[in-house]
Amino acid sequence: MADIGHSGIVGSMQRTSPAVITGWRAILLAPIALPLALLFGLWPGKKTVDRTANEVVGFLRDFLDNSGGQWDWDEFESVPITDPELENIRLQATTPGADLHKILEQAESLVEERPA
């Protein structure tokens, strides 16, 4: 059965940016984008993302329910989180063989501790 989100739309919810470049555009932009990505990757700057406990719970639930966007889990798995407690949860969740249901409970307890 499809899940109906807050918007009333049936289906999955994408948590990543809809501005993903694919296909021929990606091929044409690669010679420009790759050197720039390498250049800015070497520049000092923030290498983490600010996520809330609610967002982390959302990523975990979507993955367990198979209801997230195509690249959501990849983004969750690949991008470190600024908050140390949430980063620890992310690292636990991305460990092979992890019990994601227990990790989800741990993340949900943080949501209760941190009212919005």
Side-chain angles (χ1 to χ4, degrees):
M1 177 186 242
D3 184 31
I4 298 177
H6 293 289
S7 64
I9 298 172
V10 177
S12 64
M13 184 175 103
Q14 181 174 335
R15 294 185 180 281
T16 55
S17 170
V20 177
I21 300 172
T22 59
W24 63 269
R25 289 184 184 136
I27 293 169
L28 290 175
L29 289 174
I32 298 167
L34 290 176
L36 288 176
L38 289 173
L39 178 67
F40 287 111
L42 299 174
W43 233 258
K46 189 170 182 179
K47 306 243 190 264
T48 61
V49 66
D50 295 328
R51 293 209 191 281
T52 65
N54 278 325
E55 289 173 313
V56 171
V57 166
F59 276 104
L60 292 168
R61 280 188 186 147
D62 287 353
F63 184 75
L64 287 168
D65 297 342
N66 198 26
S67 62
Q70 180 179 2
W71 299 106
D72 289 355
W73 187 255
D74 181 64
E75 180 176 319
F76 178 70
E77 188 174 53
S78 302
V79 182
I81 301 172
T82 306
D83 183 294
E85 284 183 289
L86 296 176
E87 173 63 5
N88 185 41
I89 288 172
R90 184 190 73 82
L91 291 172
Q92 289 177 45
T94 58
T95 302
D99 183 350
L100 292 180
H101 293 284
K102 274 188 174 180
I103 296 168
L104 175 59
E105 288 175 11
Q106 182 182 358
E108 288 172 335
S109 71
L110 283 179
V111 170
E112 293 171 10
E113 291 174 15
R114 303 173 181 189

